[in-house]
Amino acid sequence: MDKAKKQDNAQQSDEEKQSDEKKQSDEEKQLEKAKQLAKAKRLDKKKINEIRKTLSSNCRIIKVENEQIYIASWNSIKKNTPINSYIIDKLINKFLYTKFLPCQSTTLEYTLLYKNGSNSILNGDMYIEAPTGLGKTLCYVIPILDYYLSQNDNTFFCVILTPTEELVKQVTKVITMFDIKNLIISTIKPKTYNTNMCFDEINNENDFYKSHVNTNEQRFEQKNILITTTTKFEMLFYSNQNIFKKLKYLIIDEVDSILNMDFVNINIVVNALTKLVQQTENNIKYSSTSNNSYSNATDSNLLYKPKHFLQKILLSATICKVSNKLLSLNLYRPIFFYYILNYARNYEFYLHVLKKSDKLCNLIHLIQKTSPNGDKNILIFCNTEETVHFLFRFLTVYFSHVEKKLLQN
Ligand SMILES: Nc1ncnc2c1ncn2[C@@H]1O[C@H](COP(=O)(O)OP(=O)(O)OP(=O)(O)O)[C@@H](O)[C@H]1O
């Protein structure tokens, strides 16, 4: 009897202990949650202050939440801003995506606002800030393709500017994957333009060079989207302004890098484009169209909502730190989207300090270790152009000849 009572008591105290432990762990969890919430609030406040100081004191600010909307259900959820069914179909069946990533889920609703007519009070230029690799490209590719398909606008309606040729190629690849019939995407082959400047040439099947028409204007009439670097665009723009009169979208990817470039004055180009489109589309008559008049394109007409405006979508992983440059872009009713990740990303950084003579050996070892089957992409940065060429030649020879021989032996 005594033994049974003892067992009962022991069991009871075990249960009490367990319940105490559970209570303690619940309290700890709640405390941790409260701490995280307070931290998130502090970060939000800091971000909002930064945006107001850098972009505009009265811009609309929208936080990207971690919501991911199923692509297949978008049109039933977002009835006012549906996406063309062709695009939905490609995203699901060709890209094999099931959900829109958070920054896409939040921003698409706004970038598709043109569907509610130009009078939608929510319309405005957009700045999308989201960490690298979280799907910013589709945030603008979907709305421009949707515009093309839904409005049947076969004119030259969109310019996409990037800081590098590499990004031009990447964006071109994404748009081409949608496989839209008759849509003509192009890059710049400046040989054919009325400009005194010289450019590097880039190879692209759809290059303007292949056009068999005589003037730049005619050449552009046959295109829908131009994807190019800011440097090339700046040179092209001043000699060919008429081409851009009917533009609907201006996308600037990695805008922080572009604004930080000393050799490109993107502000003047963007303001000039904005004014040009407004004058044309709203039938506003200006006496002067000289380049000088563009530098102060921020005049009073931007205070009032124009019937048509050049929709600008700017994207970057961080907000541009040079606030005066961003402020002088004179965005129309800007909406700023920011995305703060609430989890640590799976990055690993290693720093190896090596003797010069050991570098090549170690690099080969590292490549073999990281991608033993050669199926992973590895990005190698070098400090000079010369090293890039040398390394390219060396690795090509090593992996195509030396390694093959070693394997054979
Ligand atoms: N809805 C989606 N579902 C799954 N994967 C996606 C989705 N959208 C984009 N991705 C993939 O996420 C990766 C990153 O996308 P993307 O290049 O657009 O990011 P980013 O934010 O523009 O990056 P960066 O700042 O480097 O330009 C790509 O490999 C893309 O294929």
Side-chain angles (χ1 to χ4, degrees):
M1 186 69 180
D2 256 6
K3 205 175 170 188
K5 209 171 185 182
K6 261 186 194 167
Q7 264 180 351
D8 260 7
N9 283 345
Q11 200 178 341
Q12 208 174 343
S13 82
D14 267 0
E15 274 168 13
E16 271 168 18
K17 212 168 155 190
Q18 269 177 8
S19 132
D20 279 354
E21 273 170 10
K22 194 175 174 292
K23 218 167 148 187
Q24 199 182 344
S25 102
D26 282 352
E27 273 169 14
E28 272 168 13
K29 268 186 202 158
Q30 267 180 359
L31 203 73
E32 188 54 35
K33 219 173 167 183
K35 262 191 202 165
Q36 274 176 6
L37 219 70
K39 189 180 166 198
K41 265 191 182 164
R42 266 201 316 277
L43 287 177
D44 283 343
K45 208 171 155 192
K46 196 170 155 209
K47 189 86 230 170
I48 288 168
N49 280 338
E50 185 188 19
I51 298 165
R52 295 224 181 280
K53 244 196 261 162
T54 342
L55 183 68
S56 148
S57 56
N58 56 359
C59 64
R60 283 168 288 169
I61 300 175
I62 295 169
K63 182 179 181 175
V64 171
E65 302 292 349
N66 270 323
E67 182 193 27
Q68 297 195 26
I69 296 176
Y70 278 99
I71 297 173
S73 353
W74 178 274
N75 286 353
S76 54
I77 299 172
K78 308 281 181 188
K79 290 203 170 74
N80 286 334
T81 48
I83 295 171
N84 193 288
S85 52
Y86 178 86
I87 295 175
I88 300 256
D89 178 63
K90 287 283 168 196
L91 287 170
I92 297 172
N93 297 317
K94 187 153 183 198
F95 286 77
L96 306 177
Y97 297 162
T98 46
K99 290 175 181 174
F100 285 121
L101 298 177
C103 74
Q104 296 158 356
S105 298
T106 306
T107 59
L108 277 173
E109 198 178 335
Y110 290 83
T111 45
L112 290 162
L113 271 173
Y114 78 88
K115 298 207 150 175
N116 297 333
S118 60
N119 284 330
S120 162
I121 53 159
L122 291 171
N123 262 353
D125 291 328
M126 292 170 207
Y127 192 123
I128 303 171
E129 185 204 48
T132 298
L134 293 182
K136 289 190 292 293
T137 313
L138 284 185
C139 292
Y140 63 83
V141 166
I142 293 175
I144 59 173
L145 296 186
D146 182 86
Y147 171 85
Y148 175 79
L149 289 169
S150 308
Q151 305 292 305
N152 228 340
D153 186 351
N154 206 18
T155 60
F156 171 45
F157 74 96
C158 177
V159 168
I160 301 175
L161 299 180
T162 74
T164 61
E165 290 297 352
E166 198 45 48
L167 202 52
V168 168
K169 280 186 206 149
Q170 274 179 36
V171 177
T172 309
K173 200 172 150 201
V174 174
I175 299 184
T176 313
M177 250 180 97
F178 278 92
D179 206 11
I180 294 182
K181 211 172 134 204
N182 299 331
L183 177 85
I184 305 182
I185 316 160
S186 209
T187 49
I188 289 181
K189 196 143 194 175
K191 225 169 154 180
T192 50
Y193 289 95
N194 299 329
T195 170
N196 299 327
M197 307 285 194
C198 298
F199 300 83
D200 305 333
E201 284 180 16
I202 46 178
N203 297 316
N204 186 295
E205 269 181 43
N206 270 329
D207 203 282
F208 290 125
Y209 191 62
K210 296 209 167 153
S211 248
H212 297 297
V213 278
N214 296 323
T215 67
N216 289 344
E217 232 165 295
Q218 281 170 306
R219 224 173 259 128
F220 272 92
E221 266 170 20
Q222 300 178 346
K223 315 289 168 190
N224 304 116
I225 300 173
L226 168 67
I227 311 173
T228 186
T229 59
T230 339
T231 330
K232 285 181 176 171
F233 183 74
E234 191 185 31
M235 293 188 215
L236 172 80
F237 176 72
Y238 291 116
S239 331
N240 302 279
Q241 286 162 21
N242 269 348
I243 296 165
F244 304 100
K245 277 200 301 208
K246 296 197 169 167
L247 220 57
K248 295 279 183 296
Y249 287 96
L250 174 66
I251 314 292
I252 313 183
D253 207 345
E254 295 198 4
V255 64
D256 55 335
S257 321
I258 292 174
L259 285 171
N260 280 325
M261 287 173 175
D262 287 334
F263 48 93
V264 180
N265 200 334
I266 189 69
N267 300 61
I268 295 184
V269 178
V270 170
N271 287 330
L273 259 175
T274 309
K275 191 164 182 178
L276 189 71
V277 171
Q278 264 179 246
Q279 285 173 8
T280 316
E281 293 290 284
N282 298 299
N283 292 321
I284 300 168
K285 297 253 181 303
Y286 283 83
S287 52
S288 161
T289 48
S290 72
N291 287 348
N292 295 341
S293 67
Y294 292 133
S295 52
N296 55 7
T298 56
D299 39 36
S300 56
N301 61 28
L302 275 182
L303 292 176
Y304 303 101
K305 191 170 199 308
K307 196 166 165 215
H308 301 276
F309 74 101
L310 176 68
Q311 170 79 67
K312 293 182 280 286
I313 305 178
L314 319 181
L315 303 102
S316 76
T318 54
I319 189 165
C320 173
K321 296 284 181 280
V322 196
S323 64
N324 61 337
K325 287 201 178 176
L326 196 54
L327 281 168
S328 61
L329 275 182
N330 301 305
L331 299 180
Y332 170 70
R333 294 169 56 90
I335 314 176
F336 192 102
F337 297 89
Y338 73 95
Y339 186 14
I340 299 178
L341 276 182
N342 57 2
Y343 58 89
R345 298 185 81 180
N346 192 18
Y347 286 143
E348 286 180 55
F349 293 101
Y350 295 94
L351 181 68
H352 293 267
V353 182
L354 299 165
K355 271 197 259 159
K356 207 172 175 185
S357 54
D358 295 340
K359 277 189 182 171
L360 279 176
C361 225
N362 271 281
L363 183 64
I364 289 170
H365 176 68
L366 205 62
I367 294 172
Q368 284 166 333
K369 204 174 143 202
T370 314
S371 182
N373 307 319
D375 55 351
K376 287 210 177 99
N377 292 328
I378 299 172
L379 198 59
I380 302 173
F381 292 97
C382 305
N383 60 347
T384 63
E385 189 81 16
E386 212 183 326
T387 322
V388 170
H389 291 300
F390 164 75
L391 205 57
F392 178 76
R393 281 198 306 272
F394 178 82
L395 292 177
T396 310
V397 172
Y398 181 86
F399 284 106
S400 53
H401 299 291
V402 182
E403 225 191 20
K404 230 183 245 168
K405 277 213 169 125
L406 284 176
L407 282 176
Q408 278 165 6
N409 296 335

Short mmCIF file of all heavy atoms in Angstrom, two decimals, residues 68-69 71 91 95-104 130-140 142 167 170 174 253-254 315-317, ligand 1:
data_model
loop_
_atom_site.label_atom_id
_atom_site.label_comp_id
_atom_site.label_asym_id
_atom_site.label_seq_id
_atom_site.Cartn_x
_atom_site.Cartn_y
_atom_site.Cartn_z
N GLN A 68 3.04 34.18 -49.54
CA GLN A 68 3.30 33.64 -50.88
C GLN A 68 1.99 33.17 -51.48
O GLN A 68 1.39 32.24 -50.96
CB GLN A 68 4.27 32.47 -50.79
CG GLN A 68 5.63 32.86 -50.25
CD GLN A 68 6.67 31.78 -50.52
OE1 GLN A 68 6.56 31.01 -51.46
NE2 GLN A 68 7.67 31.73 -49.68
N ILE A 69 1.60 33.84 -52.55
CA ILE A 69 0.29 33.50 -53.13
C ILE A 69 0.47 32.43 -54.21
O ILE A 69 1.40 32.51 -55.02
CB ILE A 69 -0.36 34.77 -53.70
CG1 ILE A 69 -0.62 35.75 -52.55
CG2 ILE A 69 -1.64 34.46 -54.47
CD1 ILE A 69 -1.17 37.08 -52.95
N ILE A 71 0.23 30.78 -57.56
CA ILE A 71 0.09 31.41 -58.88
C ILE A 71 -1.27 31.07 -59.49
O ILE A 71 -1.96 31.93 -60.03
CB ILE A 71 1.25 30.97 -59.81
CG1 ILE A 71 2.57 31.45 -59.20
CG2 ILE A 71 1.08 31.50 -61.22
CD1 ILE A 71 3.83 30.96 -59.88
N LEU A 91 4.21 30.42 -66.24
CA LEU A 91 4.87 30.37 -64.93
C LEU A 91 4.74 28.98 -64.31
O LEU A 91 5.68 28.44 -63.74
CB LEU A 91 4.25 31.41 -63.97
CG LEU A 91 4.59 32.87 -64.25
CD1 LEU A 91 3.74 33.80 -63.41
CD2 LEU A 91 6.07 33.14 -63.98
N PHE A 95 8.12 27.59 -66.29
CA PHE A 95 9.07 27.93 -65.22
C PHE A 95 8.98 26.93 -64.07
O PHE A 95 9.86 26.84 -63.24
CB PHE A 95 8.78 29.34 -64.68
CG PHE A 95 9.20 30.46 -65.60
CD1 PHE A 95 8.44 30.79 -66.71
CD2 PHE A 95 10.34 31.19 -65.35
CE1 PHE A 95 8.81 31.83 -67.57
CE2 PHE A 95 10.73 32.24 -66.18
CZ PHE A 95 9.96 32.54 -67.30
N LEU A 96 7.84 26.22 -64.01
CA LEU A 96 7.57 25.24 -62.95
C LEU A 96 7.51 25.87 -61.56
O LEU A 96 7.95 25.29 -60.57
CB LEU A 96 8.57 24.08 -62.98
CG LEU A 96 8.71 23.36 -64.31
CD1 LEU A 96 9.78 22.28 -64.24
CD2 LEU A 96 7.37 22.74 -64.74
N TYR A 97 6.99 27.10 -61.47
CA TYR A 97 6.80 27.76 -60.18
C TYR A 97 5.37 27.49 -59.69
O TYR A 97 4.45 27.41 -60.49
CB TYR A 97 6.97 29.29 -60.30
CG TYR A 97 8.34 29.75 -60.72
CD1 TYR A 97 8.53 31.05 -61.22
CD2 TYR A 97 9.47 28.93 -60.61
CE1 TYR A 97 9.79 31.50 -61.61
CE2 TYR A 97 10.72 29.37 -61.00
CZ TYR A 97 10.87 30.65 -61.50
OH TYR A 97 12.10 31.10 -61.88
N THR A 98 5.22 27.35 -58.38
CA THR A 98 3.87 27.16 -57.87
C THR A 98 3.32 28.40 -57.17
O THR A 98 2.15 28.72 -57.28
CB THR A 98 3.81 25.98 -56.87
OG1 THR A 98 4.90 26.13 -55.98
CG2 THR A 98 3.87 24.64 -57.54
N LYS A 99 4.24 29.08 -56.45
CA LYS A 99 3.79 30.27 -55.70
C LYS A 99 4.57 31.49 -56.13
O LYS A 99 5.73 31.37 -56.55
CB LYS A 99 4.07 30.05 -54.21
CG LYS A 99 3.21 29.02 -53.55
CD LYS A 99 3.73 28.87 -52.14
CE LYS A 99 2.96 27.83 -51.36
NZ LYS A 99 3.58 27.61 -50.06
N PHE A 100 3.96 32.67 -55.98
CA PHE A 100 4.71 33.90 -56.14
C PHE A 100 5.51 34.10 -54.86
O PHE A 100 4.98 33.91 -53.76
CB PHE A 100 3.78 35.09 -56.35
CG PHE A 100 3.19 35.14 -57.72
CD1 PHE A 100 1.80 35.11 -57.90
CD2 PHE A 100 4.00 35.23 -58.84
CE1 PHE A 100 1.26 35.16 -59.17
CE2 PHE A 100 3.47 35.26 -60.11
CZ PHE A 100 2.09 35.22 -60.28
N LEU A 101 6.77 34.48 -55.00
CA LEU A 101 7.60 34.75 -53.82
C LEU A 101 7.05 36.01 -53.13
O LEU A 101 6.30 36.78 -53.75
CB LEU A 101 9.05 34.95 -54.25
CG LEU A 101 9.67 33.72 -54.92
CD1 LEU A 101 11.09 34.01 -55.39
CD2 LEU A 101 9.68 32.53 -53.97
N PRO A 102 7.41 36.23 -51.84
CA PRO A 102 6.80 37.35 -51.11
C PRO A 102 6.88 38.70 -51.82
O PRO A 102 5.88 39.42 -51.89
CB PRO A 102 7.59 37.38 -49.80
CG PRO A 102 8.00 35.97 -49.60
CD PRO A 102 8.26 35.43 -50.96
N CYS A 103 8.07 39.04 -52.38
CA CYS A 103 8.12 40.38 -52.98
C CYS A 103 7.26 40.44 -54.25
O CYS A 103 6.70 41.49 -54.58
CB CYS A 103 9.55 40.86 -53.20
SG CYS A 103 10.42 40.11 -54.53
N GLN A 104 7.10 39.30 -54.92
CA GLN A 104 6.20 39.28 -56.09
C GLN A 104 4.75 39.38 -55.64
O GLN A 104 3.95 40.14 -56.20
CB GLN A 104 6.42 38.00 -56.91
CG GLN A 104 7.81 37.91 -57.50
CD GLN A 104 8.25 36.49 -57.84
OE1 GLN A 104 7.55 35.52 -57.56
NE2 GLN A 104 9.44 36.37 -58.43
N ALA A 130 14.56 44.67 -52.29
CA ALA A 130 14.50 43.32 -51.72
C ALA A 130 15.88 42.69 -51.84
O ALA A 130 16.59 42.93 -52.83
CB ALA A 130 13.47 42.48 -52.46
N PRO A 131 16.27 41.89 -50.85
CA PRO A 131 17.60 41.29 -50.90
C PRO A 131 17.83 40.48 -52.19
O PRO A 131 16.88 40.00 -52.81
CB PRO A 131 17.62 40.35 -49.69
CG PRO A 131 16.58 40.90 -48.77
CD PRO A 131 15.53 41.51 -49.64
N THR A 132 19.07 40.35 -52.54
CA THR A 132 19.47 39.64 -53.76
C THR A 132 18.88 38.24 -53.86
O THR A 132 18.80 37.53 -52.86
CB THR A 132 21.01 39.55 -53.79
OG1 THR A 132 21.50 40.87 -53.81
CG2 THR A 132 21.53 38.80 -54.98
N GLY A 133 18.44 37.90 -55.06
CA GLY A 133 18.02 36.53 -55.32
C GLY A 133 16.63 36.18 -54.81
O GLY A 133 16.29 35.01 -54.70
N LEU A 134 15.80 37.20 -54.53
CA LEU A 134 14.46 36.87 -54.02
C LEU A 134 13.35 37.18 -55.02
O LEU A 134 12.21 37.40 -54.64
CB LEU A 134 14.21 37.59 -52.69
CG LEU A 134 15.11 37.08 -51.53
CD1 LEU A 134 14.79 37.78 -50.24
CD2 LEU A 134 14.96 35.57 -51.33
N GLY A 135 13.72 37.22 -56.29
CA GLY A 135 12.69 37.26 -57.34
C GLY A 135 12.25 38.64 -57.81
O GLY A 135 11.12 38.79 -58.26
N LYS A 136 13.16 39.61 -57.77
CA LYS A 136 12.76 40.96 -58.20
C LYS A 136 12.47 41.02 -59.71
O LYS A 136 11.63 41.79 -60.14
CB LYS A 136 13.86 41.97 -57.86
CG LYS A 136 13.97 42.24 -56.37
CD LYS A 136 14.88 43.40 -56.07
CE LYS A 136 16.33 43.13 -56.38
NZ LYS A 136 16.96 42.11 -55.51
N THR A 137 13.18 40.20 -60.50
CA THR A 137 13.03 40.30 -61.96
C THR A 137 11.56 40.13 -62.39
O THR A 137 11.04 40.91 -63.18
CB THR A 137 13.92 39.24 -62.66
OG1 THR A 137 15.21 39.31 -62.08
CG2 THR A 137 14.02 39.50 -64.14
N LEU A 138 10.89 39.11 -61.82
CA LEU A 138 9.50 38.89 -62.23
C LEU A 138 8.57 40.00 -61.74
O LEU A 138 7.48 40.16 -62.28
CB LEU A 138 9.00 37.53 -61.74
CG LEU A 138 9.51 36.31 -62.51
CD1 LEU A 138 8.85 35.04 -61.99
CD2 LEU A 138 9.27 36.43 -64.01
N CYS A 139 9.00 40.75 -60.73
CA CYS A 139 8.17 41.85 -60.22
C CYS A 139 7.89 42.87 -61.33
O CYS A 139 6.87 43.54 -61.31
CB CYS A 139 8.84 42.58 -59.06
SG CYS A 139 8.97 41.59 -57.59
N TYR A 140 8.84 43.01 -62.28
CA TYR A 140 8.55 43.94 -63.39
C TYR A 140 8.30 43.22 -64.71
O TYR A 140 7.57 43.72 -65.56
CB TYR A 140 9.65 45.00 -63.53
CG TYR A 140 11.04 44.48 -63.89
CD1 TYR A 140 11.40 44.20 -65.19
CD2 TYR A 140 12.00 44.29 -62.90
CE1 TYR A 140 12.68 43.75 -65.51
CE2 TYR A 140 13.28 43.84 -63.21
CZ TYR A 140 13.61 43.56 -64.52
OH TYR A 140 14.86 43.12 -64.84
N ILE A 142 6.57 40.47 -65.23
CA ILE A 142 5.15 40.07 -65.36
C ILE A 142 4.27 41.26 -65.76
O ILE A 142 3.52 41.17 -66.73
CB ILE A 142 4.64 39.38 -64.07
CG1 ILE A 142 5.37 38.04 -63.91
CG2 ILE A 142 3.13 39.18 -64.09
CD1 ILE A 142 5.06 37.30 -62.63
N LEU A 167 23.61 41.42 -66.70
CA LEU A 167 22.21 41.52 -66.29
C LEU A 167 21.29 41.67 -67.51
O LEU A 167 20.17 41.15 -67.53
CB LEU A 167 22.05 42.70 -65.32
CG LEU A 167 20.84 42.67 -64.39
CD1 LEU A 167 20.72 41.37 -63.64
CD2 LEU A 167 20.92 43.82 -63.38
N GLN A 170 20.71 38.23 -68.62
CA GLN A 170 19.82 37.48 -67.69
C GLN A 170 18.36 37.86 -67.89
O GLN A 170 17.49 37.00 -67.97
CB GLN A 170 20.20 37.82 -66.25
CG GLN A 170 21.32 36.99 -65.69
CD GLN A 170 21.62 37.43 -64.26
OE1 GLN A 170 20.74 37.79 -63.49
NE2 GLN A 170 22.89 37.41 -63.89
N VAL A 174 15.07 35.66 -69.25
CA VAL A 174 13.79 35.44 -68.53
C VAL A 174 12.62 35.80 -69.43
O VAL A 174 11.65 35.03 -69.57
CB VAL A 174 13.75 36.28 -67.23
CG1 VAL A 174 12.38 36.19 -66.57
CG2 VAL A 174 14.83 35.84 -66.25
N ASP A 253 16.89 48.44 -63.21
CA ASP A 253 17.28 47.36 -62.31
C ASP A 253 18.61 47.72 -61.65
O ASP A 253 19.46 48.33 -62.28
CB ASP A 253 17.41 46.05 -63.10
CG ASP A 253 17.15 44.84 -62.22
OD1 ASP A 253 17.17 44.99 -60.98
OD2 ASP A 253 16.93 43.75 -62.76
N GLU A 254 18.78 47.32 -60.41
CA GLU A 254 19.97 47.67 -59.62
C GLU A 254 20.22 49.17 -59.67
O GLU A 254 21.31 49.65 -59.98
CB GLU A 254 21.18 46.87 -60.09
CG GLU A 254 20.97 45.39 -59.84
CD GLU A 254 22.24 44.57 -59.87
OE1 GLU A 254 23.32 45.13 -60.03
OE2 GLU A 254 22.13 43.34 -59.72
N LEU A 315 14.47 49.03 -59.06
CA LEU A 315 14.70 47.87 -58.20
C LEU A 315 16.13 47.85 -57.70
O LEU A 315 17.05 48.24 -58.42
CB LEU A 315 14.45 46.57 -58.98
CG LEU A 315 13.06 46.48 -59.57
CD1 LEU A 315 13.12 46.78 -61.05
CD2 LEU A 315 12.44 45.15 -59.33
N SER A 316 16.29 47.41 -56.47
CA SER A 316 17.65 47.22 -55.98
C SER A 316 17.62 46.39 -54.70
O SER A 316 16.56 46.18 -54.10
CB SER A 316 18.34 48.56 -55.72
OG SER A 316 17.85 49.12 -54.54
N ALA A 317 18.82 45.93 -54.32
CA ALA A 317 18.90 45.12 -53.10
C ALA A 317 19.02 46.03 -51.88
O ALA A 317 18.71 45.64 -50.77
CB ALA A 317 20.08 44.17 -53.18
N1 LIG B 1 7.92 32.48 -57.99
C1 LIG B 1 9.09 31.86 -57.97
N2 LIG B 1 9.17 30.58 -57.54
C2 LIG B 1 10.36 29.93 -57.51
N3 LIG B 1 11.52 30.47 -57.91
C3 LIG B 1 11.51 31.73 -58.35
C4 LIG B 1 10.29 32.50 -58.41
N4 LIG B 1 10.59 33.72 -58.89
C5 LIG B 1 11.92 33.73 -59.13
N5 LIG B 1 12.47 32.55 -58.81
C6 LIG B 1 13.90 32.17 -58.90
O1 LIG B 1 14.62 32.90 -57.92
C7 LIG B 1 15.92 33.21 -58.40
C8 LIG B 1 16.21 34.67 -58.16
O2 LIG B 1 15.35 35.46 -58.94
P1 LIG B 1 15.80 36.89 -59.49
O3 LIG B 1 17.04 36.78 -60.33
O4 LIG B 1 14.62 37.52 -60.11
O5 LIG B 1 16.17 37.61 -58.12
P2 LIG B 1 16.62 39.10 -57.92
O6 LIG B 1 16.01 39.53 -56.65
O7 LIG B 1 16.34 39.90 -59.15
O8 LIG B 1 18.18 38.91 -57.72
P3 LIG B 1 19.32 40.00 -58.02
O9 LIG B 1 19.24 41.00 -56.93
O10 LIG B 1 20.57 39.15 -57.97
O11 LIG B 1 19.07 40.57 -59.39
C9 LIG B 1 15.97 32.84 -59.87
O12 LIG B 1 16.71 31.66 -60.00
C10 LIG B 1 14.52 32.58 -60.24
O13 LIG B 1 14.41 31.55 -61.19
#
